[in-house]
Amino acid sequence: MDLRGRAVFSLNRLRVLLMLFHTMARIMAEQEVENLSGLSTNPEKDIFVVRENGTTCLMAEFAAKFIVPYDVWASNYVDLITEQADISLTRGAEVNGRCGHNESELQVFWVDRAYTLKLLFVKESHNTSKGPEATWRLSKVQFIYDSSEKTHFKDAVRAGKHTANSHHLSALVTPAGMSYECQAQQSISLASSDPQKTVTMILSAVHIQPFDIISDFVFSEEHKCPVDEREQLEETLPLILGLILGLVIVVTLAIYHIHHKMTANQVQIPRDRSQYKHMG
């Protein structure tokens, strides 16, 4: 083998070694995923965790339901009637995910992969009057469903796999380093590949953090949604008003008691001069 042939052989060996190293690095950095829904006291809520190199990098707790319209034949087999399937995310779902510095993703599969939910999160930095501020948000939702699945769909006309996607989504906006929490229901509309059909995803009991988790299996400080903050204010406002009213009543009674005691101890000076002789 001449010198040029040896050089080519060595270069090929180097390429093979680099490919093997790259593959091993990917395997070593492979992320673990866990479904911890059994720990939830809410039977409708699921808990998913993505871990990288033994450290939690994404946590998500939420209940999800999908309202899916689909067409069936009317009794005359001429007209179409729109029915509705209510599909809830069930416990025991398969989960996959990946974490990145500015982009993270969670994938959930259930009912033998007849249904797939994909959530994409991004972290961004913006220049404000106070300086640069970083936030993260839910930027995309994709729901893949099989309308030939018999549990939720009954004789769908266009039975088969359909994909529903969000459009220009910016939801769950949260300051970087914080988790997002919202007990109230939130709806997100998804345009389906089934013609002229819109799927509605309803999220509730949400607690999510896809970036900057400091402690393993522990959410960072919560950023509450405006609806929860209003509801909390509505719950606490009557209590605050009641305490203020009670304090006003107590203060009024105390002032009245002191005033009554002071006036009772004062000597009454007679207005009629003839009564002076009886004094002393």
Side-chain angles (χ1 to χ4, degrees), residues 92-278:
E94 298 177 56
V95 58
N96 196 1
R98 60 181 178 85
C99 296
H101 181 67
N102 294 317
E103 191 173 287
S104 296
E105 185 176 1
L106 181 68
Q107 302 178 13
V108 186
F109 315 88
W110 67 103
V111 191
D112 297 325
R113 296 203 168 211
Y115 307 109
T116 301
L117 171 63
K118 296 181 181 180
L119 304 176
L120 181 66
F121 305 92
V122 295
K123 185 167 68 169
E124 303 164 320
S125 182
H126 306 278
N127 290 321
T128 66
S129 57
K130 299 179 181 178
E133 291 184 358
T135 60
W136 65 262
R137 62 185 172 90
L138 175 63
S139 64
K140 184 178 180 180
V141 174
Q142 184 180 78
F143 179 56
I144 303 173
Y145 61 97
D146 187 352
S147 58
S148 64
E149 194 271 318
K150 300 299 183 183
T151 305
H152 298 92
F153 295 91
K154 308 298 181 185
D155 303 319
V157 172
R158 289 176 289 272
K161 289 276 189 178
H162 296 283
T163 302
N165 289 302
S166 59
H167 185 64
H168 297 307
L169 181 63
S170 181
L172 319 187
V173 180
T174 302
M178 301 182 71
S179 63
Y180 176 88
E181 186 176 33
C182 192
Q183 297 301 313
Q185 287 190 349
Q186 304 171 81
S187 297
I188 297 175
S189 296
L190 311 173
S192 177
S193 58
D194 192 2
Q196 298 180 336
K197 296 293 184 289
T198 299
V199 175
T200 302
M201 180 177 74
I202 301 175
L203 292 174
S204 61
V206 176
H207 199 177
I208 293 178
Q209 187 172 358
F211 303 101
D212 306 318
I213 296 178
I214 299 174
S215 302
D216 214 16
F217 295 107
V218 178
F219 285 109
S220 299
E221 181 184 353
E222 300 87 0
H223 172 75
K224 293 187 179 294
C225 62
V227 177
D228 277 9
E229 290 181 343
R230 283 197 300 269
E231 289 182 352
Q232 186 176 5
L233 180 61
E234 289 173 359
E235 290 175 358
T236 56
L237 189 59
L239 178 61
I240 294 172
L241 292 176
L243 290 173
I244 293 174
L245 180 60
L247 183 62
V248 169
I249 292 173
V250 170
V251 171
T252 302
L253 290 174
I255 293 173
Y256 173 79
H257 178 71
I258 293 171
H259 176 73
H260 181 72
K261 188 174 182 180
M262 290 177 64
T263 55
N265 291 335
Q266 288 180 351
V267 178
Q268 297 295 326
I269 300 175
R271 293 182 180 179
D272 189 353
R273 290 174 176 258
S274 63
Q275 293 181 12
Y276 288 161
K277 61 182 179 180
H278 300 295

Side-chain angles (χ1 to χ4, degrees), residues 36-108:
L36 304 178
S37 302
L39 300 177
S40 174
T41 55
N42 183 348
E44 297 180 352
K45 186 168 73 171
D46 291 271
I47 304 175
F48 304 110
V49 175
V50 180
R51 309 183 78 225
E52 185 177 39
N53 297 326
T55 303
T56 303
C57 58
L58 186 154
M59 287 181 65
E61 298 182 11
F62 59 90
K65 184 173 74 171
F66 300 85
I67 301 174
V68 183
Y70 65 100
D71 290 333
V72 298
W73 289 115
S75 57
N76 58 12
Y77 291 97
V78 175
D79 300 320
L80 290 175
I81 300 174
T82 300
E83 296 286 352
Q84 178 178 293
D86 294 343
I87 303 166
S88 296
L89 177 58
T90 58
R91 287 193 171 186
E94 298 177 56
V95 58
N96 196 1
R98 60 181 178 85
C99 296
H101 181 67
N102 294 317
E103 191 173 287
S104 296
E105 185 176 1
L106 181 68
Q107 302 178 13
V108 186

